[in-house]
Amino acid sequence: MTLNPAGDESRPPSKRRNAVVENDKFGKFARRIIRAFAKRVGDGDVEALQDMVALSSDLDDAIGVAVMGLRAYGYSWEEIGSRLGVSRQAAQQRWGATK
């Protein structure tokens, strides 16, 4: 606990961000790149199909990093689970052991 200016005990200041960065635009950009990659593979680059499948694993790892980052910023499993469309228990079971 910390002391506020009045000398009372209070919770430590939250590390949560107040403003959302342009993540919606960044997400749309990432989706466009993935769709473009799929089109290039579909246009005959069979050798790149394995690389495309590997993106699934990379994305799963990235979600784990994002979830643990949100936990470090003070978000609860309930808040994270609700954004993912799963229960808090399911979110914690799935991503709680992420490194």
Side-chain angles (χ1 to χ4, degrees), residues 19-90:
V20 176
V21 219
E22 49 194 28
N23 284 335
D24 57 335
K25 292 179 184 177
F26 197 74
K28 288 176 185 176
F29 172 67
R31 285 188 291 278
R32 283 194 311 272
I33 289 174
I34 292 169
R35 285 193 302 268
F37 187 31
K39 185 173 180 339
R40 291 175 70 129
V41 172
D43 283 344
D45 188 1
V46 71
E47 297 301 324
L49 188 57
Q50 271 186 313
D51 291 335
M52 186 162 207
V53 171
L55 285 176
S56 175
S57 176
D58 293 340
L59 182 57
D60 194 45
D61 292 344
I63 292 168
V65 169
V67 166
M68 295 317 296
L70 290 170
R71 291 286 297 148
Y73 267 93
Y75 287 91
S76 70
W77 286 113
E78 181 71 32
E79 292 171 297
I80 292 167
S82 72
R83 294 333 186 273
L84 296 171
V86 300
S87 69
R88 73 170 175 79
Q89 294 93 342

